[in-house]
Amino acid sequence: MDTTLPSCCFFLLYFSFLLFCFSVPASAGLCNKDDKRALVAIKAAFNNAYHFASWTNDSACCTWYNVDCDDRGRVVRLSLFQDDFPGTIPDAVGDLPFLTFLMFHHLPNLVGPIPPAIARLSNLRFLIISWTNVSGPIPDFVGSLPSLTDLDLSFNNLSGPIPPALAHAPASLNSIDLSRNKLTGPLPPGIFSNTSGAYLRLSHNGLSGEVPPSYGAVLFVQVDLSRNRFTGDASFLFGRGKGTQQIDLSRNGFEFDLGKVEFPEAELILLDLNHNKIYGSIPKQIAEVENLQLFNVSYNRLCGKIPTGGRLDRFDQYCYLHNKCLCSAPLPPCNK
């Protein structure tokens, strides 16, 4: 009798069992009872919606859908996204003290304000509440979360001003996205105490006034102030050595001399200044920007000959239309 095949099968089954055992996270069998109690309260606040079907009492909370734990069985990530269950952000989220990542994303029936309970999350690094119908003001406490690095409150119904308390945010905060809300008022000075590698996205709001000069010291990777009501000088956002990749100031009332601006030559990939009151000429140095993919200065008050060379030659007339007296290709030639 040939025993080779059964022995092989037994070995493969045993190996598969070992592989399964070692592939399960060490925290999977653990679940801090206080964290589990908080999660059960969150589930109840959303009327035990089907989204939480895996959140059962007879299983460890670290195995539940949308929940991640550390090696001690403490909940460190809660990600609720892409569903239509109704409700408000429950206070019980503040009872998960080890959370580093909290996300409510693409939940159109999530309403109400951002609760003060989130202020208790001293370890929180990522706060994402986006594509919801959360409303009310941006609370002052977001500037007091000591570990925060990324704040994304985009695509909501938030209103009122950007809280000046954000200027007291920790140096770790380097990304703020408040775009697509109903925010009004000025841009507070000094939001970024860490001036290197910052991201600021404020597009599609009703923000107004001038950009504080303190933002000239920030080394932005991306700054998007488009579709607001900003005015005045924003030329200090530019700089040859800043390393900025994307600058979008379109559809505002900015007014400054573009001819005095210098651009990052190796890093800049997007520059959109359309629909402003920017004057002067287009600097020849823009032709030296190596990786420019989008460029638009239409609907301004620019004059002079359009520079040529480099990637600048790939942009058509629509990137230059409706200026005071720009000329040369791709627009009509300059008068001699």
Side-chain angles (χ1 to χ4, degrees):
M1 180 176 177
D2 188 0
T3 59
T4 305
L5 184 59
S7 298
C8 257
C9 290
F10 175 80
F11 175 78
L12 287 173
L13 288 171
Y14 181 69
F15 179 76
S16 299
F17 173 76
L18 289 178
L19 185 62
F20 171 78
C21 290
F22 284 107
S23 66
V24 176
S27 62
L30 302 175
C31 184
N32 179 270
K33 59 182 179 58
D34 294 328
D35 289 358
K36 186 171 186 177
R37 187 180 301 113
L39 291 172
V40 169
I42 292 171
K43 176 183 177 181
F46 290 119
N47 296 314
N48 300 314
Y50 181 74
H51 189 90
F52 305 94
S54 69
W55 294 24
T56 60
N57 285 327
D58 58 354
S59 60
C61 67
C62 296
T63 65
W64 292 354
Y65 182 57
N66 297 146
V67 176
D68 292 291
C69 297
D70 62 15
D71 291 338
R72 298 166 295 175
R74 302 307 302 253
V75 175
V76 293
R77 290 174 60 97
L78 178 61
S79 310
L80 304 181
F81 58 94
Q82 290 186 322
D83 211 322
D84 59 359
F85 56 81
T88 62
I89 299 174
D91 288 340
V93 297
D95 298 327
L96 296 169
F98 286 82
L99 271 188
T100 61
F101 185 99
L102 177 61
M103 179 171 71
F104 295 90
H105 173 67
H106 220 290
L107 303 170
N109 292 322
L110 188 69
V111 297
I114 299 173
I118 291 178
R120 303 200 297 268
L121 301 176
S122 60
N123 291 299
L124 196 64
R125 296 177 55 201
F126 297 86
L127 176 58
I128 303 169
I129 303 171
S130 59
W131 292 81
T132 76
N133 275 299
V134 166
S135 59
I138 298 174
D140 287 345
F141 72 72
V142 295
S144 302
L145 293 168
S147 304
L148 196 64
T149 62
D150 292 77
L151 176 65
D152 183 353
L153 303 179
S154 62
F155 289 82
N156 295 298
N157 280 317
L158 297 170
S159 57
I162 298 175
L166 267 180
H168 305 299
S172 58
L173 181 62
N174 63 10
S175 179
I176 296 175
D177 190 347
L178 308 178
S179 55
R180 300 272 183 171
N181 280 287
K182 299 175 181 177
L183 302 175
T184 55
L187 179 58
I191 285 181
F192 291 103
S193 55
N194 177 7
T195 58
S196 179
Y199 295 78
L200 179 63
R201 306 176 186 94
L202 303 176
S203 68
H204 292 80
N205 280 288
L207 298 167
S208 58
E210 297 191 3
V211 177
S214 60
Y215 286 80
V218 181
L219 301 180
F220 286 109
V221 175
Q222 180 183 9
V223 54
D224 185 354
L225 307 181
S226 62
R227 293 181 182 268
N228 281 284
R229 300 170 186 167
F230 290 118
T231 57
D233 187 3
S235 60
F236 47 77
L237 296 174
F238 300 87
R240 188 187 292 260
K242 284 192 172 183
T244 310
Q245 296 177 9
Q246 300 182 37
I247 302 177
D248 191 345
L249 306 182
S250 62
R251 294 184 180 271
N252 281 285
F254 287 118
E255 190 171 357
F256 57 88
D257 186 350
L258 187 63
K260 297 180 179 179
V261 166
E262 291 187 325
F263 306 101
E265 292 177 0
E267 295 83 5
L268 189 65
I269 59 175
L270 181 152
L271 178 62
D272 195 345
L273 305 177
N274 80 79
H275 285 83
N276 280 286
K277 300 177 182 178
I278 299 170
Y279 56 91
S281 60
I282 300 175
K284 293 181 179 179
Q285 188 243 343
I286 190 66
E288 300 172 15
V289 177
E290 299 173 1
N291 298 302
L292 194 61
Q293 297 176 19
L294 188 150
F295 177 73
N296 193 337
V297 294
S298 62
Y299 290 88
N300 279 288
R301 300 174 179 177
L302 298 169
C303 276
K305 185 177 181 180
I306 296 173
T308 58
R311 299 183 67 86
L312 204 62
D313 293 339
R314 64 199 298 263
F315 301 112
D316 60 25
Q317 60 178 331
Y318 297 103
C319 301
Y320 302 98
L321 289 177
H322 298 282
N323 274 283
K324 187 177 180 181
C325 48
L326 279 180
C327 56
S328 79
L331 297 180
C334 300
N335 295 326
K336 294 184 180 180

